[in-house]
Amino acid sequence: MTRLQLRRTTTGLTTSTTARTGTPPQTIDTVLVKTASRCNLNCTYCYVYNLGDDGWKSQPRRMSSEVLEAIIEQVGELSHRQNQAISVVLHGGEPLLLGFEGIQRLVEGLKDSLRQDAGLHIQTNAVLLSDPFIDLFASNDVGISISLDGTAEVHDLNRVDRHGRGSYERVVAAIARLLAHPSGSSLLTGLLAVVDPRSNPVDVYESLKATGAPSFDFLYRDGNYANLPFGKTRPESIEFGNWMIGLLEHYLADPTPPRIRVIDDIIRLILGGSGQKEGIGLNEYGIIVIDTDGKITRNDTLKGAYSGGDRFVSEPSIVGGRLQEYLSSTEFVEYFDLQIPTSPICQSCPELGVCGGGMPAHRWSDEHGYANPTVFCADQKLLISAVRSRLSAAINISSPHEVLDRAVLA
Amino acid sequence: MITYDASEGSPADEGVDRTSKIESVAIQRMIEEVRSGDSIATAANYNRTHNKHNR
């Protein structure tokens, strides 16, 4: 492959004619391990179950010992072979549905096999987060991120169990139980909330803050040009942008603010620093998924583009295959290149270095594939503009595009 | 440089230069982070696992 390519840097796009196929293996920074393919909740907006992809139906309910052992061996080996520190995230479905014994084997095995600077992490709805699990995670330094959408009213609108009952009380009780553990406050990495643009962002912020969690992150409702996200009336509308500005104002005025990762990333990028997660900025991230049956797949959020959008054609598996070898394959290279925004609108946008074109799954249209701006383009422009404006006012400079050098270099 | 430890309570503003004219703690600490080259010793449990996945 020798096509002219846009390459990501922390400051913007550059062009390169370097052939990538045959180059050294892609660097991986995050490995998602789908320990269980089912969930004990049935959240209305879930991209795994309720956005059209039905790949979960053909998956085993839980990871087998064979798959667990292959992950421990091969992901551990990968962490020693590359310079980049690696993060392993237990994910689902609901990862705790694997059961205590399986989670214990995986966590303790990875603790032994991974390089010392690797991170172990779990993303859970917390309903099954019992004291034995908390003890296990404390013993193995497993960071815990919990899904909580804000107030009881907002959370229980969507995060319901199979009987339609809200999960808020159970989740908040689990957070309190975790924070009561001697290691709890250092284990809780933060809360992950999905934005409901009909809600009050100040109420959501204060409700999340009241849990005692040190940081929050916010996700937009999944969707694209073929299927607009819930709450967005048309691609040009700004429901999510307006909601985020309400959140921004309250956050910036709070004398004791927790962290909000998505807003911190935008501020950091405007100030000339680097973003820290996918979907913002132009850093290139290496994210792979090990599905419950051991298949290696693309980023699972791509399920939200079209059914099967997260699968590789060759269906590589961590059982009987070599993870390291797949990372040099053409389809892996093409998958990683998917992060690069290819829409002419993005390529000429002055905010591309901060926005990054958004999540690839949110760029999808039936007509142009991923070659679109994010469906949240108008929202992001509004939010980024608001952050620039607030930064300019705070630092007392005349132009928001002075990039705040004065503040950073002072 | 920001060196707070979340286990000691709210990570809000420990380590932030309170003599600054910038009133927003959230902005002030990001300026401190970028000034220090993004290599700060941040809260023990903030981005501790290098997770880049947006879910």
Side-chain angles (χ1 to χ4, degrees), chain A residues 313-324:
Chain A
V313 173
S314 69
E315 298 195 334
S317 174
I318 197 146
V319 177
R322 301 307 299 175
L323 175 60
Q324 184 77 15

Side-chain angles (χ1 to χ4, degrees), chain A residues 213-377:
Chain A
S215 73
F216 323 143
D217 203 4
F218 290 89
L219 306 174
Y220 292 166
R221 294 282 288 259
D222 282 312
N224 50 55
Y225 292 89
N227 293 293
L228 282 179
F230 173 87
K232 203 163 167 58
T233 51
R234 57 190 196 284
E236 301 77 23
S237 63
I238 50 174
E239 295 90 344
F240 287 86
N242 279 332
W243 193 94
M244 288 298 291
I245 288 175
L247 183 76
L248 171 74
E249 301 285 8
H250 197 63
Y251 178 50
L252 297 187
D254 186 347
T256 58
R259 293 282 191 150
I260 298 182
R261 190 158 80 155
V262 62
I263 292 179
D264 283 359
D265 262 9
I266 291 173
I267 295 173
R268 192 184 287 109
L269 284 158
I270 290 174
L271 291 172
S274 298
Q276 297 190 346
K277 73 166 192 175
E278 64 166 337
I280 292 283
L282 288 166
N283 283 348
E284 194 171 66
Y285 297 117
I287 298 169
I288 57 168
V289 178
I290 313 294
D291 217 335
T292 313
D293 62 356
K295 293 272 177 19
I296 301 165
T297 76
R298 312 198 298 178
N299 194 323
D300 61 340
T301 57
L302 294 170
K303 291 174 189 287
Y306 57 90
S307 184
D310 62 327
R311 320 278 161 72
F312 287 115
V313 173
S314 69
E315 298 195 334
S317 174
I318 197 146
V319 177
R322 301 307 299 175
L323 175 60
Q324 184 77 15
E325 292 172 11
Y326 290 127
L327 303 183
S328 300
S329 70
T330 300
E331 60 182 353
F332 256 92
V333 172
E334 289 173 351
Y335 157 57
F336 285 155
D337 279 355
L338 205 60
Q339 298 175 77
I340 301 168
T342 53
S343 161
I345 295 171
C346 289
Q347 290 171 23
S348 62
C349 178
E351 294 294 11
L352 181 58
V354 178
C355 166
M359 299 281 290
H362 296 162
R363 298 177 200 157
W364 177 263
S365 74
D366 292 339
E367 295 80 13
H368 305 296
Y370 295 104
N372 303 293
T374 170
V375 75
F376 296 105
C377 176

Side-chain angles (χ1 to χ4, degrees), chain B:
Chain B
M1 185 164 139
I2 301 169
T3 56
Y4 51 73
D5 180 347
S7 65
E8 296 175 357
S10 169
D13 56 357
E14 283 184 47
V16 173
D17 178 5
R18 304 297 264 159
T19 64
S20 166
K21 292 178 182 174
I22 297 173
E23 292 180 359
S24 170
V25 173
I27 289 177
Q28 173 69 15
R29 68 187 174 196
M30 296 314 298
I31 290 171
E32 295 283 335
E33 280 195 12
V34 175
R35 267 191 192 141
S36 64
D38 281 334
S39 57
I40 62 166
T42 187
N45 47 0
Y46 177 65
N47 280 333
R48 51 176 280 181
T49 55
H50 339 291
N51 176 16
K52 306 303 183 189
H53 184 249
N54 193 26
R55 283 294 180 282

Side-chain angles (χ1 to χ4, degrees), chain A residues 10 14 134-135 191 258 290 297 315 348 404:
Chain A
T10 55
T14 59
I134 295 172
D135 288 337
L191 305 177
I290 313 294
T297 76
E315 298 195 334
S348 62
L404 311 171

